[in-house]
Amino acid sequence: MDKQPNERTIDVLIFDGVNLLDVAGPIQAFYKARFRDARIYRHRYVSPDGLSIRASCGLTLQPEDALSATSQSNDLLVPGGKGVDEITQDAAVLATIRSWPSKPRDTRLIAICSGALILAAAGVLDGQSATTHWSRKAETEQHPGVEWDLDRIFVAGAGIYTSAGVTTGIDLALSIIRTDCGNASALAVARELVVQLRRTGGQSQYATHLAGQFQSEDALAKLIEAVISDPCKDWTVENLADAAGMNSRTLSRKFVASMDTTPARFVERVRVDHARGLLADGLSPKRVAVDAGFGDYQRMRRAFRRQVGIDPADFARTFG
């Protein structure tokens, strides 16, 4: 097929055991964008050998072609799934991925979820910051040359992109659309998909949200959501206990039993997560210290050292 002006083509790798949402989420975003901007996204599905595959959910998918280093497409999207472990042992697939950035055209490698482990196995992530699904932490240790940050939703590098997994593949696609087509186009796609254009915070923040939603005790669940919704509030242990309708000792006991942490440490974690998002958006560390509820930079610095292991200023320089 002849390429049109401003067209960007994407090869989507599918394989046995692929996570269907890792494929469908970002591709649906790109598909919606093609009708809203002069840039046209086109995609085609490829498998390692050109044969049909079976997704982890049981759905059989028929690719259009085999994965090839001679493909004329700009981008290669590599999803995750339980089949990743086998693909990381496929020498032909890894060789194609390694050769992709050297194509004589503008190219990108886009990994969704555990697809980042395939890129890591190919060696293209060495020396770069990357993320993948939090449950794959043990596998990331097999690739010490990669600067893994498993609390990031996605990481955008020089022609190589990784995301934390599943729905964050949509976040990454929206970020790419925003860069390619502008904020208005990305916002239009986000509205149609009924998702946020830009989410702040990291994987731990969403895990905290879920922990709150799945608390058996309604008072504790509401308190967790209240802290996440307003981290700037004066959340002393006494104020937390009052909001939950129980005394401080009972609150502390329930927090340790349900969340495996104390109320004070929980508040600090929420504030650090909130601060990370604000710093990544380019706000000054001193302002973030106030907006995230720490009050002053030194308090935020100490919390960052405990939670993240680096100073907020260093985090801002790296990810801002």
PDB file of all heavy atoms in Angstrom, residues 8-12 44 46 67-77 94-110 124 159:
ATOM      1  N   ARG A   8       1.679   7.509   9.221  1.00  0.00           N
ATOM      2  CA  ARG A   8       2.596   6.754  10.074  1.00  0.00           C
ATOM      3  C   ARG A   8       2.046   5.346  10.206  1.00  0.00           C
ATOM      4  O   ARG A   8       0.908   5.158  10.636  1.00  0.00           O
ATOM      5  CB  ARG A   8       2.751   7.412  11.437  1.00  0.00           C
ATOM      6  CG  ARG A   8       3.920   6.822  12.208  1.00  0.00           C
ATOM      7  CD  ARG A   8       4.334   7.680  13.374  1.00  0.00           C
ATOM      8  NE  ARG A   8       5.621   7.202  13.866  1.00  0.00           N
ATOM      9  CZ  ARG A   8       6.781   7.767  13.587  1.00  0.00           C
ATOM     10  NH1 ARG A   8       6.812   8.853  12.838  1.00  0.00           N
ATOM     11  NH2 ARG A   8       7.907   7.272  14.054  1.00  0.00           N
ATOM     12  N   THR A   9       2.838   4.367   9.850  1.00  0.00           N
ATOM     13  CA  THR A   9       2.384   2.982   9.866  1.00  0.00           C
ATOM     14  C   THR A   9       2.965   2.249  11.061  1.00  0.00           C
ATOM     15  O   THR A   9       4.118   2.470  11.456  1.00  0.00           O
ATOM     16  CB  THR A   9       2.771   2.257   8.572  1.00  0.00           C
ATOM     17  OG1 THR A   9       4.175   2.395   8.351  1.00  0.00           O
ATOM     18  CG2 THR A   9       2.018   2.845   7.389  1.00  0.00           C
ATOM     19  N   ILE A  10       2.183   1.349  11.622  1.00  0.00           N
ATOM     20  CA  ILE A  10       2.550   0.629  12.838  1.00  0.00           C
ATOM     21  C   ILE A  10       2.374  -0.867  12.608  1.00  0.00           C
ATOM     22  O   ILE A  10       1.274  -1.321  12.276  1.00  0.00           O
ATOM     23  CB  ILE A  10       1.671   1.062  14.023  1.00  0.00           C
ATOM     24  CG1 ILE A  10       1.679   2.582  14.201  1.00  0.00           C
ATOM     25  CG2 ILE A  10       2.123   0.366  15.311  1.00  0.00           C
ATOM     26  CD1 ILE A  10       0.642   3.083  15.196  1.00  0.00           C
ATOM     27  N   ASP A  11       3.439  -1.622  12.761  1.00  0.00           N
ATOM     28  CA  ASP A  11       3.328  -3.081  12.794  1.00  0.00           C
ATOM     29  C   ASP A  11       3.027  -3.487  14.230  1.00  0.00           C
ATOM     30  O   ASP A  11       3.719  -3.058  15.165  1.00  0.00           O
ATOM     31  CB  ASP A  11       4.630  -3.739  12.341  1.00  0.00           C
ATOM     32  CG  ASP A  11       4.756  -3.803  10.828  1.00  0.00           C
ATOM     33  OD1 ASP A  11       3.850  -3.298  10.134  1.00  0.00           O
ATOM     34  OD2 ASP A  11       5.776  -4.342  10.344  1.00  0.00           O
ATOM     35  N   VAL A  12       2.000  -4.304  14.409  1.00  0.00           N
ATOM     36  CA  VAL A  12       1.590  -4.748  15.740  1.00  0.00           C
ATOM     37  C   VAL A  12       1.924  -6.232  15.871  1.00  0.00           C
ATOM     38  O   VAL A  12       1.333  -7.069  15.189  1.00  0.00           O
ATOM     39  CB  VAL A  12       0.086  -4.514  15.972  1.00  0.00           C
ATOM     40  CG1 VAL A  12      -0.300  -4.902  17.399  1.00  0.00           C
ATOM     41  CG2 VAL A  12      -0.293  -3.079  15.679  1.00  0.00           C
ATOM     42  N   ARG A  44      -0.963  -2.689  10.906  1.00  0.00           N
ATOM     43  CA  ARG A  44      -1.184  -4.046  10.407  1.00  0.00           C
ATOM     44  C   ARG A  44      -0.641  -5.021  11.459  1.00  0.00           C
ATOM     45  O   ARG A  44       0.307  -4.707  12.192  1.00  0.00           O
ATOM     46  CB  ARG A  44      -0.505  -4.264   9.059  1.00  0.00           C
ATOM     47  CG  ARG A  44       0.993  -4.162   9.088  1.00  0.00           C
ATOM     48  CD  ARG A  44       1.615  -4.127   7.695  1.00  0.00           C
ATOM     49  NE  ARG A  44       3.043  -4.435   7.806  1.00  0.00           N
ATOM     50  CZ  ARG A  44       3.627  -5.484   7.257  1.00  0.00           C
ATOM     51  NH1 ARG A  44       2.903  -6.322   6.509  1.00  0.00           N
ATOM     52  NH2 ARG A  44       4.910  -5.701   7.408  1.00  0.00           N
ATOM     53  N   VAL A  46       1.131  -8.462  12.668  1.00  0.00           N
ATOM     54  CA  VAL A  46       2.126  -9.433  12.213  1.00  0.00           C
ATOM     55  C   VAL A  46       2.402 -10.412  13.344  1.00  0.00           C
ATOM     56  O   VAL A  46       2.349 -10.055  14.525  1.00  0.00           O
ATOM     57  CB  VAL A  46       3.441  -8.736  11.783  1.00  0.00           C
ATOM     58  CG1 VAL A  46       3.193  -7.796  10.611  1.00  0.00           C
ATOM     59  CG2 VAL A  46       4.081  -7.974  12.943  1.00  0.00           C
ATOM     60  N   LEU A  67       6.358 -10.998  10.936  1.00  0.00           N
ATOM     61  CA  LEU A  67       7.270  -9.955  11.388  1.00  0.00           C
ATOM     62  C   LEU A  67       8.522  -9.976  10.529  1.00  0.00           C
ATOM     63  O   LEU A  67       9.101 -11.037  10.287  1.00  0.00           O
ATOM     64  CB  LEU A  67       7.639 -10.197  12.859  1.00  0.00           C
ATOM     65  CG  LEU A  67       8.679  -9.256  13.478  1.00  0.00           C
ATOM     66  CD1 LEU A  67       8.099  -7.852  13.613  1.00  0.00           C
ATOM     67  CD2 LEU A  67       9.138  -9.794  14.832  1.00  0.00           C
ATOM     68  N   SER A  68       8.955  -8.828  10.056  1.00  0.00           N
ATOM     69  CA  SER A  68      10.100  -8.788   9.154  1.00  0.00           C
ATOM     70  C   SER A  68      10.920  -7.525   9.362  1.00  0.00           C
ATOM     71  O   SER A  68      10.376  -6.431   9.537  1.00  0.00           O
ATOM     72  CB  SER A  68       9.638  -8.852   7.695  1.00  0.00           C
ATOM     73  OG  SER A  68      10.707  -8.644   6.805  1.00  0.00           O
ATOM     74  N   ALA A  69      12.233  -7.670   9.306  1.00  0.00           N
ATOM     75  CA  ALA A  69      13.125  -6.520   9.422  1.00  0.00           C
ATOM     76  C   ALA A  69      13.046  -5.628   8.190  1.00  0.00           C
ATOM     77  O   ALA A  69      13.458  -4.468   8.246  1.00  0.00           O
ATOM     78  CB  ALA A  69      14.562  -6.997   9.625  1.00  0.00           C
ATOM     79  N   THR A  70      12.511  -6.144   7.085  1.00  0.00           N
ATOM     80  CA  THR A  70      12.408  -5.357   5.856  1.00  0.00           C
ATOM     81  C   THR A  70      11.071  -4.636   5.738  1.00  0.00           C
ATOM     82  O   THR A  70      10.789  -4.024   4.713  1.00  0.00           O
ATOM     83  CB  THR A  70      12.606  -6.258   4.631  1.00  0.00           C
ATOM     84  OG1 THR A  70      11.575  -7.259   4.597  1.00  0.00           O
ATOM     85  CG2 THR A  70      13.970  -6.927   4.665  1.00  0.00           C
ATOM     86  N   SER A  71      10.239  -4.705   6.781  1.00  0.00           N
ATOM     87  CA  SER A  71       8.955  -4.014   6.763  1.00  0.00           C
ATOM     88  C   SER A  71       9.147  -2.526   6.502  1.00  0.00           C
ATOM     89  O   SER A  71      10.102  -1.914   6.986  1.00  0.00           O
ATOM     90  CB  SER A  71       8.240  -4.208   8.100  1.00  0.00           C
ATOM     91  OG  SER A  71       7.124  -3.349   8.215  1.00  0.00           O
ATOM     92  N   GLN A  72       8.242  -1.950   5.739  1.00  0.00           N
ATOM     93  CA  GLN A  72       8.298  -0.518   5.436  1.00  0.00           C
ATOM     94  C   GLN A  72       7.586   0.336   6.487  1.00  0.00           C
ATOM     95  O   GLN A  72       7.497   1.551   6.341  1.00  0.00           O
ATOM     96  CB  GLN A  72       7.666  -0.266   4.065  1.00  0.00           C
ATOM     97  CG  GLN A  72       8.409  -0.935   2.919  1.00  0.00           C
ATOM     98  CD  GLN A  72       9.851  -0.471   2.827  1.00  0.00           C
ATOM     99  OE1 GLN A  72      10.129   0.715   2.697  1.00  0.00           O
ATOM    100  NE2 GLN A  72      10.802  -1.414   2.920  1.00  0.00           N
ATOM    101  N   SER A  73       7.079  -0.286   7.546  1.00  0.00           N
ATOM    102  CA  SER A  73       6.370   0.447   8.587  1.00  0.00           C
ATOM    103  C   SER A  73       7.339   1.270   9.428  1.00  0.00           C
ATOM    104  O   SER A  73       8.522   0.941   9.552  1.00  0.00           O
ATOM    105  CB  SER A  73       5.593  -0.507   9.491  1.00  0.00           C
ATOM    106  OG  SER A  73       4.546  -1.133   8.770  1.00  0.00           O
ATOM    107  N   ASN A  74       6.796   2.351  10.016  1.00  0.00           N
ATOM    108  CA  ASN A  74       7.623   3.195  10.888  1.00  0.00           C
ATOM    109  C   ASN A  74       7.828   2.556  12.258  1.00  0.00           C
ATOM    110  O   ASN A  74       8.954   2.505  12.776  1.00  0.00           O
ATOM    111  CB  ASN A  74       6.951   4.556  11.098  1.00  0.00           C
ATOM    112  CG  ASN A  74       6.766   5.323   9.821  1.00  0.00           C
ATOM    113  OD1 ASN A  74       5.719   5.250   9.213  1.00  0.00           O
ATOM    114  ND2 ASN A  74       7.790   6.057   9.407  1.00  0.00           N
ATOM    115  N   ASP A  75       6.735   2.124  12.856  1.00  0.00           N
ATOM    116  CA  ASP A  75       6.754   1.729  14.262  1.00  0.00           C
ATOM    117  C   ASP A  75       6.468   0.252  14.431  1.00  0.00           C
ATOM    118  O   ASP A  75       5.763  -0.368  13.621  1.00  0.00           O
ATOM    119  CB  ASP A  75       5.723   2.538  15.053  1.00  0.00           C
ATOM    120  CG  ASP A  75       5.928   4.040  14.917  1.00  0.00           C
ATOM    121  OD1 ASP A  75       7.078   4.455  14.678  1.00  0.00           O
ATOM    122  OD2 ASP A  75       4.940   4.787  15.054  1.00  0.00           O
ATOM    123  N   LEU A  76       6.985  -0.292  15.518  1.00  0.00           N
ATOM    124  CA  LEU A  76       6.679  -1.667  15.907  1.00  0.00           C
ATOM    125  C   LEU A  76       6.127  -1.633  17.318  1.00  0.00           C
ATOM    126  O   LEU A  76       6.791  -1.160  18.245  1.00  0.00           O
ATOM    127  CB  LEU A  76       7.924  -2.542  15.857  1.00  0.00           C
ATOM    128  CG  LEU A  76       7.745  -3.998  16.326  1.00  0.00           C
ATOM    129  CD1 LEU A  76       6.735  -4.726  15.448  1.00  0.00           C
ATOM    130  CD2 LEU A  76       9.090  -4.730  16.339  1.00  0.00           C
ATOM    131  N   LEU A  77       4.896  -2.104  17.484  1.00  0.00           N
ATOM    132  CA  LEU A  77       4.259  -2.159  18.799  1.00  0.00           C
ATOM    133  C   LEU A  77       4.353  -3.589  19.312  1.00  0.00           C
ATOM    134  O   LEU A  77       3.909  -4.529  18.643  1.00  0.00           O
ATOM    135  CB  LEU A  77       2.809  -1.693  18.711  1.00  0.00           C
ATOM    136  CG  LEU A  77       2.077  -1.531  20.049  1.00  0.00           C
ATOM    137  CD1 LEU A  77       1.086  -0.363  19.983  1.00  0.00           C
ATOM    138  CD2 LEU A  77       1.319  -2.806  20.433  1.00  0.00           C
ATOM    139  N   LEU A  94      13.915 -11.329  18.221  1.00  0.00           N
ATOM    140  CA  LEU A  94      14.822 -10.404  18.898  1.00  0.00           C
ATOM    141  C   LEU A  94      15.749  -9.702  17.906  1.00  0.00           C
ATOM    142  O   LEU A  94      16.033  -8.508  18.053  1.00  0.00           O
ATOM    143  CB  LEU A  94      15.645 -11.145  19.951  1.00  0.00           C
ATOM    144  CG  LEU A  94      14.857 -11.837  21.081  1.00  0.00           C
ATOM    145  CD1 LEU A  94      15.812 -12.434  22.100  1.00  0.00           C
ATOM    146  CD2 LEU A  94      13.887 -10.876  21.747  1.00  0.00           C
ATOM    147  N   ALA A  95      16.193 -10.423  16.891  1.00  0.00           N
ATOM    148  CA  ALA A  95      17.068  -9.814  15.886  1.00  0.00           C
ATOM    149  C   ALA A  95      16.329  -8.726  15.115  1.00  0.00           C
ATOM    150  O   ALA A  95      16.897  -7.665  14.817  1.00  0.00           O
ATOM    151  CB  ALA A  95      17.584 -10.887  14.927  1.00  0.00           C
ATOM    152  N   THR A  96      15.056  -8.967  14.797  1.00  0.00           N
ATOM    153  CA  THR A  96      14.260  -7.962  14.083  1.00  0.00           C
ATOM    154  C   THR A  96      14.076  -6.715  14.942  1.00  0.00           C
ATOM    155  O   THR A  96      14.195  -5.586  14.461  1.00  0.00           O
ATOM    156  CB  THR A  96      12.892  -8.540  13.691  1.00  0.00           C
ATOM    157  OG1 THR A  96      13.088  -9.640  12.794  1.00  0.00           O
ATOM    158  CG2 THR A  96      12.019  -7.492  13.013  1.00  0.00           C
ATOM    159  N   ILE A  97      13.802  -6.918  16.217  1.00  0.00           N
ATOM    160  CA  ILE A  97      13.630  -5.778  17.127  1.00  0.00           C
ATOM    161  C   ILE A  97      14.932  -4.986  17.237  1.00  0.00           C
ATOM    162  O   ILE A  97      14.923  -3.746  17.217  1.00  0.00           O
ATOM    163  CB  ILE A  97      13.163  -6.265  18.510  1.00  0.00           C
ATOM    164  CG1 ILE A  97      11.724  -6.802  18.414  1.00  0.00           C
ATOM    165  CG2 ILE A  97      13.243  -5.139  19.542  1.00  0.00           C
ATOM    166  CD1 ILE A  97      11.217  -7.442  19.680  1.00  0.00           C
ATOM    167  N   ARG A  98      16.049  -5.687  17.326  1.00  0.00           N
ATOM    168  CA  ARG A  98      17.342  -4.998  17.412  1.00  0.00           C
ATOM    169  C   ARG A  98      17.618  -4.150  16.176  1.00  0.00           C
ATOM    170  O   ARG A  98      18.223  -3.079  16.259  1.00  0.00           O
ATOM    171  CB  ARG A  98      18.473  -6.020  17.594  1.00  0.00           C
ATOM    172  CG  ARG A  98      18.785  -6.365  19.021  1.00  0.00           C
ATOM    173  CD  ARG A  98      20.102  -7.106  19.148  1.00  0.00           C
ATOM    174  NE  ARG A  98      20.089  -8.359  18.397  1.00  0.00           N
ATOM    175  CZ  ARG A  98      19.667  -9.521  18.891  1.00  0.00           C
ATOM    176  NH1 ARG A  98      19.210  -9.578  20.131  1.00  0.00           N
ATOM    177  NH2 ARG A  98      19.691 -10.600  18.158  1.00  0.00           N
ATOM    178  N   SER A  99      17.173  -4.622  15.030  1.00  0.00           N
ATOM    179  CA  SER A  99      17.455  -3.911  13.777  1.00  0.00           C
ATOM    180  C   SER A  99      16.493  -2.760  13.512  1.00  0.00           C
ATOM    181  O   SER A  99      16.763  -1.914  12.656  1.00  0.00           O
ATOM    182  CB  SER A  99      17.402  -4.890  12.598  1.00  0.00           C
ATOM    183  OG  SER A  99      16.061  -5.332  12.352  1.00  0.00           O
ATOM    184  N   TRP A 100      15.376  -2.729  14.240  1.00  0.00           N
ATOM    185  CA  TRP A 100      14.324  -1.762  13.935  1.00  0.00           C
ATOM    186  C   TRP A 100      14.791  -0.303  14.012  1.00  0.00           C
ATOM    187  O   TRP A 100      14.520   0.494  13.104  1.00  0.00           O
ATOM    188  CB  TRP A 100      13.116  -1.980  14.845  1.00  0.00           C
ATOM    189  CG  TRP A 100      11.840  -1.440  14.266  1.00  0.00           C
ATOM    190  CD1 TRP A 100      11.320  -0.186  14.414  1.00  0.00           C
ATOM    191  CD2 TRP A 100      10.933  -2.145  13.414  1.00  0.00           C
ATOM    192  NE1 TRP A 100      10.139  -0.061  13.727  1.00  0.00           N
ATOM    193  CE2 TRP A 100       9.876  -1.252  13.101  1.00  0.00           C
ATOM    194  CE3 TRP A 100      10.898  -3.435  12.894  1.00  0.00           C
ATOM    195  CZ2 TRP A 100       8.799  -1.613  12.288  1.00  0.00           C
ATOM    196  CZ3 TRP A 100       9.825  -3.809  12.086  1.00  0.00           C
ATOM    197  CH2 TRP A 100       8.789  -2.899  11.786  1.00  0.00           C
ATOM    198  N   PRO A 101      15.514   0.098  15.067  1.00  0.00           N
ATOM    199  CA  PRO A 101      15.918   1.507  15.160  1.00  0.00           C
ATOM    200  C   PRO A 101      16.887   1.952  14.066  1.00  0.00           C
ATOM    201  O   PRO A 101      17.056   3.153  13.837  1.00  0.00           O
ATOM    202  CB  PRO A 101      16.591   1.590  16.543  1.00  0.00           C
ATOM    203  CG  PRO A 101      16.031   0.435  17.307  1.00  0.00           C
ATOM    204  CD  PRO A 101      15.860  -0.644  16.293  1.00  0.00           C
ATOM    205  N   SER A 102      17.531   1.003  13.380  1.00  0.00           N
ATOM    206  CA  SER A 102      18.508   1.374  12.355  1.00  0.00           C
ATOM    207  C   SER A 102      17.899   1.514  10.968  1.00  0.00           C
ATOM    208  O   SER A 102      18.615   1.741   9.994  1.00  0.00           O
ATOM    209  CB  SER A 102      19.649   0.337  12.315  1.00  0.00           C
ATOM    210  OG  SER A 102      19.140  -0.941  11.950  1.00  0.00           O
ATOM    211  N   LYS A 103      16.585   1.394  10.869  1.00  0.00           N
ATOM    212  CA  LYS A 103      15.930   1.552   9.574  1.00  0.00           C
ATOM    213  C   LYS A 103      16.170   2.964   9.039  1.00  0.00           C
ATOM    214  O   LYS A 103      16.272   3.922   9.809  1.00  0.00           O
ATOM    215  CB  LYS A 103      14.420   1.317   9.699  1.00  0.00           C
ATOM    216  CG  LYS A 103      14.006  -0.135   9.893  1.00  0.00           C
ATOM    217  CD  LYS A 103      12.505  -0.217  10.124  1.00  0.00           C
ATOM    218  CE  LYS A 103      12.045  -1.655  10.235  1.00  0.00           C
ATOM    219  NZ  LYS A 103      12.054  -2.331   8.940  1.00  0.00           N
ATOM    220  N   PRO A 104      16.231   3.137   7.727  1.00  0.00           N
ATOM    221  CA  PRO A 104      16.476   4.469   7.137  1.00  0.00           C
ATOM    222  C   PRO A 104      15.225   5.337   7.102  1.00  0.00           C
ATOM    223  O   PRO A 104      14.879   5.920   6.080  1.00  0.00           O
ATOM    224  CB  PRO A 104      16.957   4.115   5.726  1.00  0.00           C
ATOM    225  CG  PRO A 104      16.234   2.849   5.408  1.00  0.00           C
ATOM    226  CD  PRO A 104      16.191   2.080   6.701  1.00  0.00           C
ATOM    227  N   ARG A 105      14.537   5.413   8.237  1.00  0.00           N
ATOM    228  CA  ARG A 105      13.340   6.259   8.324  1.00  0.00           C
ATOM    229  C   ARG A 105      13.072   6.541   9.804  1.00  0.00           C
ATOM    230  O   ARG A 105      13.708   5.952  10.676  1.00  0.00           O
ATOM    231  CB  ARG A 105      12.124   5.596   7.675  1.00  0.00           C
ATOM    232  CG  ARG A 105      11.659   4.336   8.392  1.00  0.00           C
ATOM    233  CD  ARG A 105      10.433   3.739   7.728  1.00  0.00           C
ATOM    234  NE  ARG A 105      10.760   3.251   6.398  1.00  0.00           N
ATOM    235  CZ  ARG A 105      11.265   2.038   6.161  1.00  0.00           C
ATOM    236  NH1 ARG A 105      11.483   1.212   7.174  1.00  0.00           N
ATOM    237  NH2 ARG A 105      11.544   1.643   4.959  1.00  0.00           N
ATOM    238  N   ASP A 106      12.144   7.412  10.078  1.00  0.00           N
ATOM    239  CA  ASP A 106      11.756   7.720  11.449  1.00  0.00           C
ATOM    240  C   ASP A 106      11.044   6.510  12.038  1.00  0.00           C
ATOM    241  O   ASP A 106       9.981   6.113  11.550  1.00  0.00           O
ATOM    242  CB  ASP A 106      10.844   8.949  11.446  1.00  0.00           C
ATOM    243  CG  ASP A 106      10.383   9.306  12.836  1.00  0.00           C
ATOM    244  OD1 ASP A 106      11.048   8.921  13.804  1.00  0.00           O
ATOM    245  OD2 ASP A 106       9.340   9.982  12.954  1.00  0.00           O
ATOM    246  N   THR A 107      11.608   5.909  13.060  1.00  0.00           N
ATOM    247  CA  THR A 107      11.029   4.688  13.629  1.00  0.00           C
ATOM    248  C   THR A 107      10.804   4.824  15.127  1.00  0.00           C
ATOM    249  O   THR A 107      11.407   5.677  15.788  1.00  0.00           O
ATOM    250  CB  THR A 107      11.949   3.474  13.395  1.00  0.00           C
ATOM    251  OG1 THR A 107      13.184   3.680  14.069  1.00  0.00           O
ATOM    252  CG2 THR A 107      12.193   3.258  11.906  1.00  0.00           C
ATOM    253  N   ARG A 108       9.944   3.958  15.639  1.00  0.00           N
ATOM    254  CA  ARG A 108       9.719   3.886  17.080  1.00  0.00           C
ATOM    255  C   ARG A 108       9.482   2.434  17.475  1.00  0.00           C
ATOM    256  O   ARG A 108       8.886   1.662  16.707  1.00  0.00           O
ATOM    257  CB  ARG A 108       8.499   4.725  17.490  1.00  0.00           C
ATOM    258  CG  ARG A 108       8.701   6.216  17.402  1.00  0.00           C
ATOM    259  CD  ARG A 108       7.568   7.027  18.013  1.00  0.00           C
ATOM    260  NE  ARG A 108       6.346   6.983  17.268  1.00  0.00           N
ATOM    261  CZ  ARG A 108       5.566   8.049  17.031  1.00  0.00           C
ATOM    262  NH1 ARG A 108       5.909   9.248  17.485  1.00  0.00           N
ATOM    263  NH2 ARG A 108       4.456   7.937  16.355  1.00  0.00           N
ATOM    264  N   LEU A 109       9.929   2.074  18.654  1.00  0.00           N
ATOM    265  CA  LEU A 109       9.581   0.811  19.287  1.00  0.00           C
ATOM    266  C   LEU A 109       8.673   1.137  20.458  1.00  0.00           C
ATOM    267  O   LEU A 109       9.025   1.951  21.313  1.00  0.00           O
ATOM    268  CB  LEU A 109      10.835   0.080  19.776  1.00  0.00           C
ATOM    269  CG  LEU A 109      11.727  -0.549  18.691  1.00  0.00           C
ATOM    270  CD1 LEU A 109      13.047  -1.017  19.297  1.00  0.00           C
ATOM    271  CD2 LEU A 109      11.010  -1.730  18.027  1.00  0.00           C
ATOM    272  N   ILE A 110       7.504   0.515  20.507  1.00  0.00           N
ATOM    273  CA  ILE A 110       6.500   0.811  21.528  1.00  0.00           C
ATOM    274  C   ILE A 110       6.153  -0.492  22.245  1.00  0.00           C
ATOM    275  O   ILE A 110       5.568  -1.401  21.645  1.00  0.00           O
ATOM    276  CB  ILE A 110       5.230   1.419  20.892  1.00  0.00           C
ATOM    277  CG1 ILE A 110       5.579   2.659  20.067  1.00  0.00           C
ATOM    278  CG2 ILE A 110       4.197   1.746  21.972  1.00  0.00           C
ATOM    279  CD1 ILE A 110       4.426   3.150  19.198  1.00  0.00           C
ATOM    280  N   VAL A 124      17.750  -3.577  23.351  1.00  0.00           N
ATOM    281  CA  VAL A 124      17.544  -2.193  22.925  1.00  0.00           C
ATOM    282  C   VAL A 124      17.234  -1.253  24.089  1.00  0.00           C
ATOM    283  O   VAL A 124      17.211  -0.031  23.908  1.00  0.00           O
ATOM    284  CB  VAL A 124      16.412  -2.097  21.868  1.00  0.00           C
ATOM    285  CG1 VAL A 124      16.776  -2.881  20.628  1.00  0.00           C
ATOM    286  CG2 VAL A 124      15.085  -2.583  22.449  1.00  0.00           C
ATOM    287  N   GLY A 159      12.917   7.393  20.787  1.00  0.00           N
ATOM    288  CA  GLY A 159      12.417   6.421  19.820  1.00  0.00           C
ATOM    289  C   GLY A 159      11.997   5.102  20.416  1.00  0.00           C
ATOM    290  O   GLY A 159      11.595   4.187  19.689  1.00  0.00           O
TER     291      GLY A 159
END
